[in-house]
Structures are given as structure tokens and as C-alpha cells.
């Protein structure tokens, strides 16, 4: 989900466990030489999604913590790539938390269909994240550090 904390948590998690860190939003921006929002504004959602899918499918995730965009859940082949070579973590936070963090939704580059509200997006995606994750971490009310601790614990001691 956008703003659930993937980028913030991911970079500190990588540092904590001594792995490489990759943020696929940054890989897209570097590849395209444009900000995500510029890309969506000038070339459209469909173009953005094609580039995003390509980057997600081809990223080398070996020994890396990879923070994707929230829209990663739309690409089955990318999910397969991540599942086969890594552990997919869903950082689960309530809608109200996402809403309060996303005050910059129009400049941040969230891929929403015309007329779609943030709540629609949340309700549409939440079951997809649940279904595709190897690990669901309930991060409601947790700090970044507590979320990282919970992720590490869950991976070390799977139930
Ligand atoms: N556990 C947390 N508690 C409070 N704020 C957080 C937490 N995790 C992330 N944030 C804040 O939420 C915003 C979105 O975080 P970000 O890491 O960019 O999310 P994502 O990569 O999932 O879109 C940032 O302003 C970040 O500081
Ligand atoms: O959920 C989305 O539709 C998106 C989330 C963004 O990343 P974050 O999830 O890191 O905000 C970024 O990939 C893109 O703007 C689309
Ligand atoms: Mg991010």
C-alpha cells in the first residue's frame, strides 16, 4: 500500500541485517530520467505500469531488501520473481493511517484510475497484498523500529 512504510522501513531493515537496499521507485526514476509523477503526467498510467513491471521483473533481489511501489501487486510475473527468489512482506496498516500519511497524493505518483478514491484503492488492494505476501506484518501503531523488529522476528521464527 502506498505510504505503509516500505521505503522507510526497507532501508533501515537492510542496514540492520547487513543487506543491500533497493527501492524500485528510484530505479524507475533513474531509468526514465524523470520523477514518477512527471512520468505519469506526461506519459500516462499505462506507460508507467509497463516500465514498473519491467523494472520489477528484472531487478536482482539477491541479498537485498527491495522496497517496491504499492502497485507492484498488479504484476503476477513480478510477484512470481519475488516469491521465487525472496520473501514478500506486506506491511499492514489501517486505511486511516495511509490516509493521514498521504497528504501529498497528487505529487507522490500513486497510480489511481480516474474517479477512484484512496479508499477504493485500499479496499481493492488489501486482499491482493494478503493473498500474495509470504509474511503479513501488522504494523498498526508501530514505530519504524518496532516494525523492523517484528519483520526480523517473524522471518527468524516463522509460525
Ligand atoms: N511506522 C511509521 N510510523 C510513522 N510514520 C511512518 C512510519 N513508517 C513510515 N512513516 C511515514 O509515512 C510516510 C510514507 O512512508 P514511505 O516509507 O515513503 O512509504 P511507502 O514507501 O510504503 O510508500 C513517510 O512520511 C514516513 O516517514
Ligand atoms: O501504490 C502505487 O500506486 C504507487 C506507489 C508509489 O510507491 P510507494 O508505495 O513507495 O509510495 C510508486 O511506485 C508509484 O507512484 C505508484
Ligand atoms: Mg516507497
Amino acid at each position: 500500500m502506498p505510504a505503509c512504510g516500505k521505503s522507510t522501513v526497507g532501508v533501515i531493515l537492510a542496514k540492520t541485517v547487513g543487506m543491500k537496499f533497493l527501492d524500485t521507485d528510484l530505479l524507475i526514476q533513474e531509468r526514465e530520467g524523470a520523477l514518477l509523477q512527471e512520468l505519469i503526467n506526461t506519459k500516462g498510467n499505462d506507460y508507467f505500469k509497463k516500465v514498473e513491471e519491467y523494472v520489477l521483473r528484472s531487478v536482482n533481489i539477491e541479498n537485498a531488501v527491495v522496497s517496491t511501489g504499492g502497485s507492484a501487486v498488479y504484476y503476477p510475473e513480478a510477484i512470481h520473481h519475488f516469491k521465487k527468489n525472496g520473501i514478500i512482506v506486506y506491511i499492514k496498516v489501517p486505511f486511516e493511517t495511509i490516509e493521514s500519511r498521504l497528504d501529498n497524493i497528487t505529487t507522490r505518483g500513486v497510480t489511481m484510475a480516474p474517479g477512484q478514491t484512496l479508499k477504493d484503492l485500499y479496499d481493492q488492494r488489501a486482499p491482493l497484498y494478503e493473498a500474495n505476501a509470504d509474511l503479513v506484518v501488522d504494523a498498526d501503531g508501530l514505530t519504524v523500529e518496532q516494525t523492523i523488529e517484528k519483520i526480523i522476528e517473524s522471518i527468524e521464527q516463522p509460525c
Side-chain angles (χ1 to χ4, degrees), residues 1-3 6-7 25 36 40 48 52 68-71 108-111 125:
M1 205 67 79
K6 300 177 296 297
S7 299
D25 284 348
L36 297 185
I40 292 169
F48 171 78
E52 184 176 42
T68 69
S71 37
R108 204 184 153 90
V110 176
T111 49
R125 287 187 186 179

Side-chain angles (χ1 to χ4, degrees), residues 1-10 23 25 67-70 91 93 97-98 101-102 104 108 110 139 141-147:
M1 205 67 79
C4 70
K6 300 177 296 297
S7 299
T8 315
V9 165
D23 190 308
D25 284 348
S67 295
T68 69
I91 302 172
V93 294
T97 306
I98 301 289
R101 288 182 191 165
L102 270 181
N104 57 350
R108 204 184 153 90
V110 176
L142 300 191
T143 64
V144 172
E145 286 71 21
Q146 287 168 332
T147 305

Side-chain angles (χ1 to χ4, degrees), residues 9-141:
V9 165
V11 67
I12 302 173
L13 173 63
K15 196 172 167 189
T16 307
V17 298
M19 291 171 88
K20 204 163 57 172
F21 174 70
L22 296 169
D23 190 308
T24 54
D25 284 348
L26 300 186
L27 299 180
I28 296 168
Q29 292 197 153
E30 199 181 326
R31 185 188 156 82
E32 293 294 308
L35 300 180
L36 297 185
Q37 190 64 54
E38 285 171 0
L39 203 57
I40 292 169
N41 289 349
T42 58
K43 301 208 170 167
N45 258 339
D46 288 348
Y47 179 83
F48 171 78
K49 285 186 164 178
K50 278 206 177 77
V51 176
E52 184 176 42
E53 179 171 25
Y54 174 78
V55 167
L56 287 165
R57 283 174 56 180
S58 51
V59 65
N60 179 3
I61 67 176
E62 198 183 331
N63 198 35
V65 174
V66 184
S67 295
T68 69
S71 37
V73 78
Y74 292 134
Y75 315 112
E77 289 188 22
I79 292 170
H80 177 72
H81 171 58
F82 278 80
K83 238 184 205 314
K84 192 169 155 220
N85 302 297
I87 301 167
I88 300 178
V89 180
Y90 170 31
I91 302 172
K92 184 175 175 178
V93 294
F95 172 71
E96 292 68 27
T97 306
I98 301 289
E99 189 180 32
S100 70
R101 288 182 191 165
L102 270 181
D103 52 0
N104 57 350
I105 192 161
T106 53
T107 53
R108 204 184 153 90
V110 176
T111 49
M112 285 163 71
Q116 191 177 36
T117 65
L118 187 59
K119 182 74 168 72
D120 294 336
L121 188 95
Y122 186 93
D123 291 342
Q124 179 199 56
R125 287 187 186 179
L128 300 177
Y129 295 129
E130 295 267 0
N132 287 295
D134 297 304
L135 179 65
V136 178
V137 171
D138 186 349
D140 186 11

